[in-house]
């Protein structure tokens, strides 16, 4: 029976919505991973600007005591900074001076395996709660005032381990002697986002691939390896009730039916993938349940369009990673930008950047929402900086590709398959743009992208059967010992043209901050934090920290003072020195 609801009731709903929406908070805060639902990472604060940025100095430093890969964006709400540390510990700090208010120590489930190291991207804060997804696939709600656990749920069952694959090799295979640093234990890397009383988060580690350690300390990973076979599981993005942790909806990144797609021979924009479509179609009946192991990790914090009720996120590679013998077809919805109904999790559209991916080209960098100006009109758009080295701009409502940028990193031998001799390709499994979030200045119609040039060698290995050891086929992507560098690019959103580029000595991984002070901030693996002129890419200020700055910078304001904050903790996979600092800067008084 319908009931007439009072105006007071509607007013209370409005107040409640405003209290929890990152789009409704004052400009001084940084209340969500991408600052607001758009993920633009653009701040309207102007106290620090290109005329005075050279006067920036350290305001305070917090040392966590956890020296490990540090990727988090701190959240600042009402003068408190909420920061996730490696291994999912969480601290609340006074954002004025950095003194600790409380600390939550996370205890992993016994026997849990980490997919990709101890890092996570951050927390979400809403309704007096702090939410974190963990490396052991739990979603936890903490009391924002005390750090006490309010609820703790298993977001997904633990994934299949792949360490046993190495032990099954014969002793002559070089992979047998390698140290595995990444496995297929299911976890959560992304910072959650809270929308309409629901905590939204996805799982990673379902793509079935091995990360092999480098032979020396502070060197990049030795290789990424994919093995043919029935390994892995489907990924998902899910929404949980913020008060109880109860699952509200779930979108599986692998469809229950039809994951083989149309066996398309090209990317959606017409580039040949060099697929053997006839072989794939012929072998498809032999793998009727391949989707059960389908992969499709959810790496990036979604962007949300409240006006249209749409949510956007990216998906990872299919499983098994790189080696495709056991997964004929397009492998939907892997390596895709996906649009969902934010209230129900139902699919609205998808754009698969690389059907049947065998190169590890995950859609890992968060999508970003903005209005694209064209012919005097504003088109609601969603952009995504890809591992492939292009920035894609789509119509937010339909998924239509509106703009594909110029390549912002060098490209060679893309979509070439592995050979036993090995083939050199770039961008490779590391990107292009890896997980690093971009920033967008909508008024200037410019995207700022932190990318990398890092050639890799793509090799096919076939280990013959020997005694009780079965024959094994696997592919490896190994970073080449040759010149590599970073490229910070300013991209015209209307034309896709590159406005300027700034080259750095090391590949860029971490992310970008843009401000209304006409500034761009980004970190480098050598420990530098840089401030650049947004109009031309000229460095205006730089400071050296003790570890790699491989996390996204952010900014906030308290008591009339603007601060710039960034984690300096390095990155093991990329070989950048690890540390334990949160560094915060302000203008000299």
């Amino acid at each position: 029976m319908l009931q007439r609801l009072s105006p007071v009731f509607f007013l209370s709903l409005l107040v409640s919505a405003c209290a929890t929406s990152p789009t409704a908070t004052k400009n001084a805060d940084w209340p969500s991973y991408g600052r607001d639902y758009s993920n633009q990472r653009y701040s309207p604060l102007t106290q620090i600007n290109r005329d005075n940025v050279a006067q920036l100095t350290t305001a305070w430093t917090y040392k966590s005591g956890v020296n490990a890969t540090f990727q988090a964006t701190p959240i600042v709400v009402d003068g408190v900074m909420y920061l996730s540390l490696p291994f999912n510990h969480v601290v609340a700090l006074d954002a004025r001076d950095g003194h600790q208010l409380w600390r939550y120590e996370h205890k992993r489930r016994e026997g849990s395996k980490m997919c990709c190291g101890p890092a996570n991207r951050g927390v979400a804060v809403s309704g007096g709660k702090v939410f974190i997804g963990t490396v052991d696939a739990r979603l936890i709600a903490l009391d924002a005032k005390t750090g006490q656990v309010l609820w703790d749920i298993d977001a997904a069952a633990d994934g299949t381990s792949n360490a046993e694959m190495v032990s099954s090799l014969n002793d002559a295979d070089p992979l047998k002697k390698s140290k595995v640093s990444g496995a297929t234990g299911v976890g959560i890397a992304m910072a959650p986002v809270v929308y309409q009383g629901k905590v939204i988060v996805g799982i990673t580690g379902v793509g079935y691939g091995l990360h092999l350690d480098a032979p020396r300390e502070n060197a990049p990973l030795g290789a990424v390896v994919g093995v043919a076979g029935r390994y892995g599981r489907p990924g998902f993005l899910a929404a949980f009730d913020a008060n109880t942790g109860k699952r509200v909806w779930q979108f599986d990144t692998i469809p229950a039916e039809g994951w083989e797609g149309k066996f398309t021979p090209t990317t959606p924009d017409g580039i040949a993938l060099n697929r053997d479509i006839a072989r794939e179609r012929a072998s498809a009946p032999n793998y009727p349940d391949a989707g059960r192991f389908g992969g499709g990790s959810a790496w990036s914090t979604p962007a949300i369009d409240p006006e249209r009720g749409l949510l956007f996120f990216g998906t990872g590679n299919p499983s098994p990673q790189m080696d495709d013998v056991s997964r004929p077809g397009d492998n939907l919805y892997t390596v895709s930008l996906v649009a969902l109904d934010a209230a129900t999790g139902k699919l609205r559209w998808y754009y698969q950047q690389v059907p049947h991916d065998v190169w590890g080209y995950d859609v890992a960098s968060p999508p970003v929402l903005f209005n694209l100006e064209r012919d005097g009109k504003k088109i609601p758009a969603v952009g995504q900086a890809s591992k492939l080295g292009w920035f894609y701009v789509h119509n937010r409502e339909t998924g239509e590709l509106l703009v594909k940028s110029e390549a912002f990193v060098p490209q060679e031998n893309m979509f070439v398959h592995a050979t036993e001799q090995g083939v050199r390709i770039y961008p490779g499994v590391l990107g292009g743009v890896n997980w690093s979030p971009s920033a967008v200045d909508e008024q200037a119609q410019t995207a700022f992208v932190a990318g990398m040039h890092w050639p890799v060698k793509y090799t096919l290995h076939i280990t013959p059967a020997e005694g009780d050891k079965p024959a094994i086929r696997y592919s490896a992507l190994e970073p080449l010992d040759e010149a590599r560098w970073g490229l910070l690019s300013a991209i015209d959103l209307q034309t896709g043209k590159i406005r300027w580029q700034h080259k750095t000595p090391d590949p860029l991984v971490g992310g970008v901050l843009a401000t209304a002070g006409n500034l761009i901030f980004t970190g480098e693996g050598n420990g530098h934090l840089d401030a650049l002129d947004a109009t031309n890419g000229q460095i205006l200020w730089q400071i050296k920290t003790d570890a790699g700055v491989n996390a996204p910078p952010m900014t906030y304001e308290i008591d009339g003072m603007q601060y710039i904050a960034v984690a300096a903790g390095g990155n093991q996979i990329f070989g950048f020195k690890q540390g334990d600092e949160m560094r915060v800067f302000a203008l000299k008084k």
Side-chain angles (χ1 to χ4, degrees):
M1 181 177 67
L2 294 175
Q3 293 180 323
R4 186 180 299 275
L5 302 177
S6 71
V8 173
F9 176 80
F10 283 111
L11 180 60
S12 68
L13 284 180
L14 178 61
V15 170
S16 175
C18 291
T20 59
S21 169
T23 59
T25 60
K26 55 185 178 293
N27 289 337
D29 285 348
W30 190 283
S32 188
Y33 178 71
R35 188 179 174 275
D36 59 21
Y37 287 139
S38 73
N39 273 351
Q40 286 186 9
R41 290 188 170 266
Y42 176 86
S43 170
L45 298 179
T46 59
Q47 183 182 93
I48 300 170
N49 55 64
R50 62 184 173 190
D51 296 325
N52 61 19
V53 67
Q55 301 173 36
L56 271 187
T57 188
T58 300
W60 56 264
T61 300
Y62 173 78
K63 295 182 72 67
S64 72
V66 184
N67 284 273
T69 301
F70 205 174
Q71 299 177 350
T73 298
I75 300 301
V76 173
V77 177
D78 294 333
V80 178
M81 177 181 287
Y82 301 93
L83 176 64
S84 63
L85 307 177
F87 299 102
N88 304 122
H89 312 308
V90 181
V91 294
L93 310 174
D94 187 312
R96 296 168 180 82
D97 59 16
H99 80 264
Q100 184 173 297
L101 304 174
W102 54 256
R103 180 165 177 147
Y104 161 75
E105 293 284 335
H106 181 65
K107 295 181 179 179
R108 281 190 291 150
R109 290 183 299 195
E110 187 175 349
S112 64
K113 300 180 182 300
M114 293 189 297
C115 147
C116 309
N120 64 90
R121 310 276 156 76
V123 300
V125 179
S126 180
K129 300 180 183 68
V130 178
F131 304 94
I132 185 168
T134 72
V135 293
D136 51 347
R138 287 150 61 188
L139 182 61
I140 297 172
L142 307 174
D143 187 295
K145 291 184 178 179
T146 66
Q148 296 299 307
V149 176
L150 299 176
W151 49 259
D152 178 345
I153 65 164
D154 287 341
D158 192 25
T160 305
S161 168
N162 56 13
E164 291 76 13
M165 185 279 293
V166 175
S167 65
S168 68
L169 295 169
N170 65 54
D171 293 334
D173 196 290
L175 183 60
K176 177 81 171 182
K177 303 174 184 178
S178 300
K179 181 181 178 183
V180 176
S181 61
T184 304
V186 174
I188 298 172
M190 72 167 65
V193 63
V194 180
Y195 178 66
Q196 293 187 341
K198 297 184 285 291
V199 188
I200 299 169
V201 76
I203 62 169
T204 59
V206 299
Y208 196 81
L210 296 170
H211 290 174
L212 305 185
D213 273 359
R216 63 188 186 279
E217 188 177 359
N218 289 330
L221 80 168
V224 177
V225 175
V227 185
R230 294 164 61 86
Y231 309 108
R233 54 156 290 173
F236 65 77
L237 187 82
F240 301 84
D241 186 283
N243 290 321
T244 65
K246 181 180 179 181
R247 194 181 307 257
V248 178
W249 57 253
Q250 177 173 311
F251 173 80
D252 293 326
T253 55
I254 304 301
E257 296 181 355
W259 101 301
E260 66 278 1
K262 298 179 180 179
F263 290 84
T264 178
T266 69
T267 64
D269 50 321
I271 303 176
L273 292 169
N274 304 309
R275 292 171 64 179
D276 187 343
I277 299 295
R279 176 189 63 80
E280 288 184 42
R281 287 189 180 277
S283 65
N286 299 325
Y287 304 100
D289 61 346
R292 286 179 50 201
F293 315 96
S297 294
W299 291 107
S300 57
T301 300
I304 299 174
D305 179 347
E307 180 181 349
R308 294 168 181 80
L310 291 175
L311 174 152
F312 306 86
F313 78 107
T315 62
N317 60 264
S319 175
Q321 183 172 6
M322 298 185 298
D323 207 301
D324 64 341
V325 170
S326 60
R327 51 174 176 86
D330 295 344
N331 311 144
L332 302 179
Y333 305 105
T334 60
V335 193
S336 297
L337 179 64
V338 178
L340 305 179
D341 183 297
T344 65
K346 300 297 183 183
L347 179 68
R348 295 287 289 270
W349 58 260
Y350 70 94
Y351 183 92
Q352 190 173 30
Q353 291 180 5
V354 185
H356 194 76
D357 171 67
V358 293
W359 301 275
Y361 284 138
D362 313 64
V363 178
S365 180
V368 57
L369 308 183
F370 53 89
N371 287 320
L372 178 68
E373 296 180 6
R374 177 173 287 181
D375 300 326
K377 298 180 180 179
K378 293 185 176 181
I379 303 172
V382 52
Q384 200 275 325
S386 72
K387 276 191 174 184
L388 299 163
W390 293 297
F391 189 90
Y392 295 93
V393 179
H394 301 267
N395 184 302
R396 210 181 300 172
E397 296 175 331
T398 66
E400 175 192 0
L401 182 63
L402 301 173
V403 179
K404 177 185 169 184
S405 78
E406 295 178 323
F408 52 77
V409 294
Q411 297 172 325
E412 180 179 282
N413 286 336
M414 294 179 65
F415 308 126
V416 171
H417 291 256
T419 67
E420 292 189 53
Q421 296 75 29
V423 59
R424 178 175 178 264
I425 65 173
Y426 50 82
V429 65
L430 301 173
V433 170
N434 203 275
W435 63 269
S436 307
S438 304
V440 164
D441 182 339
E442 183 173 331
Q443 184 174 353
Q445 292 284 281
T446 306
F448 302 95
V449 177
M452 67 182 77
H453 171 64
W454 198 323
V456 298
K457 183 180 179 182
Y458 194 14
T459 309
L460 174 65
H461 299 261
I462 300 177
T463 301
E466 181 180 289
D468 61 346
K469 304 291 187 182
I472 289 184
R473 166 194 167 108
Y474 64 91
S475 301
L477 283 163
E478 306 163 68
L480 288 169
D481 187 17
E482 59 180 71
R484 58 181 73 122
W485 59 80
L487 287 163
L488 179 63
S489 304
I491 298 172
D492 187 314
L493 292 171
Q494 297 177 346
T495 66
K497 300 291 185 183
I498 295 176
R499 289 181 165 162
W500 56 255
Q501 285 191 306
H502 171 72
K503 187 176 179 179
T504 59
D506 295 309
L508 288 175
V509 58
V512 187
L513 164 68
T515 77
N518 289 309
L519 292 171
I520 302 301
F521 291 86
T522 196
E524 302 183 46
N526 57 18
H528 285 139
L529 175 64
D530 305 331
L532 302 94
D533 189 315
T535 61
N536 58 27
Q538 178 184 351
I539 285 191
L540 302 176
W541 172 86
Q542 187 179 74
I543 196 168
K544 183 76 163 61
T545 67
D546 294 331
V549 181
N550 303 121
M554 52 79 73
T555 187
Y556 61 96
E557 186 176 275
I558 300 177
D559 300 332
M561 178 70 74
Q562 183 183 354
Y563 299 87
I564 304 293
V566 71
N571 190 297
Q572 179 188 12
I573 287 179
F574 289 85
F576 298 133
K577 183 182 177 182
Q578 296 173 86
D580 71 340
E581 289 186 345
M582 170 57 56
R583 294 288 297 271
V584 180
F585 307 90
L587 295 174
K588 295 177 182 178
K589 295 184 180 179

